[in-house]
Structures are given as structure tokens and as C-alpha cells.
Amino acid sequence: MLREVWPYIDAHRRAGRPVVLARLVDRDGPASRPLGATMAVAGDGTWRGSLSGGCVEGIILDAARDVLAGAAPHVTTVAPGEHLLPWEDAPACAGELRVQIAAAPPEPVHSAITTALAEDRPLAVRVALQPPYTWSVAASTDQLPDSGPAFVEELTRRPRLLLVGATDLAAILATLAGPLHRRTVVLDPRPGHIAAGAFPDTVTTIRAWPDDWITRHPLHADDAVVTLSHDPRIDDRAIRAALAGPAGYIAALGSRATHAQRLRRLADIPGLDRLNGPAGLDLGGTSLAESALSILAELVAVNNGRNGRRLRDGHLPIRATTATAHAQSA
């Protein structure tokens, strides 16, 4: 998706280097990546992103470098198994992939995407699937032009991850959460904790009581709240405020005994069954990083309506994705 590779695209654009995008715009059969998956290939030979599980990237990389060298942009069809020898088994993701290979968007579309991502504003991005492969943007899909076949991706507001308690575990959680494309906010009313300087620059740290902040910044259904302070005076206020809204994942750190005490204290709160505690999946980890991974794994599972079981023991499709990109017919 554009969000995944945009920092790379923007850095090369600012350095004056051309960038070609290879984007998955359609497919016939199973695939390991969703529509809109993007590879960005720069003029210095480097690249980022992927279109499949590794089956076609070499083919697409060569085609993108040809376009950088002057070949015409185009839409091509590739199949993960098309270069196999007769006796070799085709991969499971053997469906045909339709890939557009063309230059990254010019101004003013480039700046519009950069600004929308930086300011966390929704933006609909359209690229034509016929020459000259023009780009356009609008605040919503219904405001985009609809002439000719095109591919449309919706850049949505990032869901928030609210970490209550500026602890060492919160710092690791905030770091690991970066690739999940959540807007991480750390809340703590204690001045000495919030000024620790342990958090990445991409994280917002705020000295505030969590319930006061949540009241001023209502949560959405795709937001998540994790209490980490180990101080009931802080954590309980956050839990009460979070359960009063629609946040999809609300969790509290602590042992089973600590959580049992917490449930007794908060027994009067409606919807207490939505509280995940002790926070995390049963990974058996002991380090802070393993604990953070356990919590984020549970968040992802809950967000996708899954229970976090081992994949080999399940039967549902491996990937549960919400489409934010689609082909647009003439």
C-alpha cells in the first residue's frame, strides 16, 4: 500500500531521484498481498515493498528498472508459477497478478499524499490504468473523476494506540507498534515519567490524567487502549473512560491476581467483559520485548476478529484484510 512505502518515495523525491511504482491492481486467484500492494524502485537501484510472498518480485523489479531506463509505463500480467520447469510444483499463490508499472505521482499529487499522511487526514488517490496513467486525489472517492478504468486507494485515518503509563514497557510497545501504522499516544500524569525521553520521535507523549484526555479526544471503534502504569489511581480512570466509548481493544497489564482485584474494584462498570486482562496472548515470554509482542499480537487478533490460535490449528483464511483499494471501471 502507498502508506508502507511512502517515506521511501518521499525521501528519493526530495533527493531528486526518479521513482517507479509497481502496484498490484487486480488478480485472478489467491495472493499473499492485498490489492494496492506496492513496490517502489528508485533511480539509485534500491527498492522497497512487495507484491507477493516473493514469487514475482524479481520479474517486477526488472520491469520497473526498464521503465526507469526509459521504457514505456505499462500494465502487465504475471503469474508466480510461469517460470517454473515442467516438473516443478506451482506455488499455492499461483493466480495471475495484474501490475501497473509507472512513475510515482508528480506534483501536486505527491505533496497532497505527503500532507495527508503527515496530518492523518483521509485522502482518496486515483491512478488511471491507461496511458498516460494520470494521478488525481480528492477528500473522498465520490469526488474523484470517474472517466476510464482506474485504480483507487483510500488513505484512511490511522487508528490510535493509547498507552497509559510512561513505562519502559510502554516505550518498547510504542517502538514495535510503529509498523502497525497506528498513531501512538502515551499518557501519564506524573511529570518524572512523561519526561523520561525513552519514546520514539513518532510517538506523542502527554502529561495528563487519561480520563480527562479521553473525554477531550473521544475514542473510535478501531482505537486501542492499554493501561501499563501499575497504579490503580491512573489505570482505573483510563479503563472507566475507555469502556464508556467504542474502542475495539481495551487491555490492562498485570498478573491474574492483580486483574482479579481490578475486576472487583470496577465491578460497577457496564461492559467490563470488554476488558482484556491480563493483557496479551499466552506466549510464555519473560522479557519486556516479549511482553510487548504478546500485547500487540492480541491487539491484532482482536482487531481482525480472531482468537490468536496457532495457524496450523485453524481453518479460516490466514489474512483478514479490509479493502481500502479497488479497481474502478469506465
Side-chain angles (χ1 to χ4, degrees):
M1 315 301 279
L2 283 177
R3 187 188 297 275
E4 295 175 349
V5 296
W6 198 258
Y8 173 86
I9 296 169
D10 188 51
H12 282 279
R13 174 63 59 84
R14 287 186 282 106
R17 287 187 286 268
V19 178
V20 163
L21 302 186
R23 306 190 71 205
L24 179 61
V25 297
D26 200 2
R27 65 171 177 254
D28 178 15
S32 61
R33 299 234 53 209
L35 294 182
T38 303
M39 285 180 67
V41 185
D44 64 354
T46 62
W47 57 282
R48 295 290 187 277
S50 66
L51 302 184
S52 72
C55 305
V56 303
E57 274 70 12
I59 301 170
I60 297 302
L61 184 58
D62 289 341
R65 287 174 173 162
D66 287 343
V67 172
L68 280 167
H74 57 284
V75 175
T76 186
T77 299
V78 295
E82 64 184 14
H83 296 293
L84 294 174
L85 295 175
W87 58 84
E88 292 181 304
D89 291 333
C93 53
E96 289 188 338
L97 309 180
R98 192 166 179 239
V99 181
Q100 181 189 52
I101 304 176
E107 295 294 355
V109 172
H110 178 95
S111 290
I113 295 173
T114 301
T115 300
L117 293 177
E119 297 180 356
D120 234 16
R121 288 192 291 101
L123 188 72
V125 182
R126 179 187 189 272
V127 59
L129 294 178
Q130 295 176 338
Y133 303 110
T134 54
W135 293 76
S136 54
V137 293
S140 61
T141 55
D142 58 0
Q143 298 178 39
L144 289 169
D146 58 3
S147 57
F151 187 76
V152 175
E153 179 176 348
E154 297 176 68
L155 303 178
T156 58
R157 176 195 68 85
R158 287 178 300 163
R160 287 173 293 187
L161 171 59
L162 186 61
L163 303 178
V164 178
T167 65
D168 48 358
L169 177 57
I172 296 175
L173 264 169
T175 300
L176 294 183
L180 297 181
H181 302 298
R182 283 184 174 265
R183 184 156 54 97
T184 303
V185 178
V186 177
L187 297 176
D188 200 312
R190 301 167 293 185
H193 286 67
I194 208 68
F199 296 92
D201 293 339
T202 54
V203 172
T204 302
T205 57
I206 301 173
R207 182 188 174 191
W209 286 97
D211 51 338
D212 292 340
W213 190 91
I214 291 172
T215 298
R216 297 193 305 271
H217 304 85
L219 300 174
H220 299 271
D222 55 0
D223 290 335
V225 179
V226 184
T227 64
L228 304 163
S229 79
H230 278 298
D231 186 335
R233 295 170 298 179
I234 299 172
D235 290 348
D236 287 5
R237 291 172 68 157
I239 293 168
R240 287 182 180 275
L243 288 175
Y249 178 74
I250 304 169
L253 186 69
S255 67
R256 290 184 175 87
T258 296
H259 189 63
Q261 293 175 350
R262 179 184 295 121
L263 293 179
R264 287 193 292 270
R265 289 195 309 272
L266 303 176
D268 62 316
I269 302 178
L272 191 58
D273 59 321
R274 293 169 51 208
L275 178 62
N276 297 279
L281 296 184
D282 184 10
L283 305 184
T286 57
S287 70
L288 289 175
E290 289 170 335
S291 296
L293 179 63
S294 168
I295 293 170
L296 290 176
E298 183 181 44
L299 188 163
V300 172
V302 170
N303 188 60
N304 289 317
R306 300 296 177 89
N307 60 13
R309 72 167 68 186
R310 300 175 74 177
L311 285 173
R312 74 177 191 179
D313 297 331
H315 63 278
L316 295 173
I318 291 177
R319 291 168 182 83
T321 58
T322 301
T324 58
H326 61 276
Q328 182 185 69
S329 302

